[in-house]
Amino acid sequence: MSPVRGSAHSKGRVSAPRTPPHRFLTLLSMELLVILAYPFTLEVGSRYDWFRLLVVMVLIAALYAALGRGRVTLVAFLLGTPAIVIRVANFGGHFQTLATTAVTLEIIFLGFVTVVFIWTVLSHPKVTADTLAGAIAAYLLVGITYGLAYGLIAQLSPSSFRSTVEPWRVIHPPDLFFFSFVTLTTVGYGDIIPWGDHARSLVILESVTGIMYTAVLIGRLVGLHIGRRVES
């Protein structure tokens, strides 16, 4: 009778959802592809379409990295799927009036999964290759998310950003991705400056985010390393 009891107990047990393999490495690879493709997406027209396609691929990679998390996965799909569908439809000339809605959903979705990934990395008990990839991927995701937010602000208020080198130049979304990472790393080249009040407010938030992220991450990794040495 005991084997029967054991089998019944094992059947009633609910298995934990499995996380996909190399989830953070896949996301990191897509982010690096966007950064490397940046010089080829600066012009409008077909080149900008390629940039939008790369952003969609980052969204898909972020959805993949969010698999196997129960309710978190459900929320991620509810936020990310409509944005991806609208973006893909925009390539065919459909749902153009929903382009701003798609960008808003992308920002909310990427902001949500970025917080989840950062929490996953910081709460992981061991430092693994996937954890390190997740830390870098989350950092790059912060820059991409803020870049989309800057693009939304520029779309709603075209005079929010200006070029100090070429004042007549029109600032395109790929330029704002470069501006985002310059702000995130606090490099501050000064070739593009925030001119609008909302843009300046967001720049302050990103600067603080970049400083706090590296400080907290390094502190956490050092703490884990010391803890492993004490245990050994």
Side-chain angles (χ1 to χ4, degrees), residues 16-37:
R18 295 182 179 180
T19 56
H22 309 296
R23 49 180 178 163
F24 289 135
L25 184 60
T26 303
L27 176 59
L28 178 60
S29 300
M30 289 310 309
E31 292 169 334
L32 293 177
L33 179 60
V34 171
I35 295 174
L36 293 175

Side-chain angles (χ1 to χ4, degrees), residues 2 13 15 44 64 86 88 96 115 121 126 155 198 209 211 213:
S2 58
R13 184 181 303 166
S15 58
V44 295
Y64 174 76
I86 296 175
V88 174
Q96 295 294 338
V115 172
V121 170
K126 293 187 295 184
Q155 184 178 352
H198 294 89
T209 302
I211 295 174
Y213 182 88

Side-chain angles (χ1 to χ4, degrees), residues 36-53:
L36 293 175
Y38 162 78
F40 307 100
T41 60
L42 294 180
E43 297 181 4
V44 295
S46 59
R47 287 193 174 188
Y48 179 55
D49 290 337
W50 280 107
F51 173 77
R52 293 191 298 173
L53 178 61

Side-chain angles (χ1 to χ4, degrees), residues 121-206:
V121 170
L122 295 180
S123 61
H124 203 277
K126 293 187 295 184
V127 179
T128 63
D130 193 51
T131 304
L132 293 176
I136 301 174
Y139 185 73
L140 296 181
L141 210 57
V142 171
I144 293 175
T145 305
Y146 274 99
L148 289 174
Y150 294 140
L152 180 60
I153 292 177
Q155 184 178 352
L156 298 176
S157 179
S159 61
S160 295
F161 297 91
R162 294 186 180 182
S163 173
T164 58
V165 181
E166 301 172 318
W168 61 88
R169 179 185 175 188
V170 178
I171 305 298
H172 297 293
D175 297 316
L176 294 175
F177 267 73
F178 168 78
F179 172 77
S180 175
F181 280 99
V182 169
T183 303
L184 182 66
T185 56
T186 64
V187 174
Y189 289 124
D191 53 340
I192 300 176
I193 60 173
W195 196 258
D197 294 335
H198 294 89
R200 291 178 177 179
S201 177
L202 202 61
V203 164
I204 295 174
L205 290 177
E206 185 176 16

Side-chain angles (χ1 to χ4, degrees), residues 110-128:
L110 290 180
F112 173 74
V113 295
T114 300
V115 172
V116 172
F117 296 157
I118 292 176
W119 176 256
T120 301
V121 170
L122 295 180
S123 61
H124 203 277
K126 293 187 295 184
V127 179
T128 63

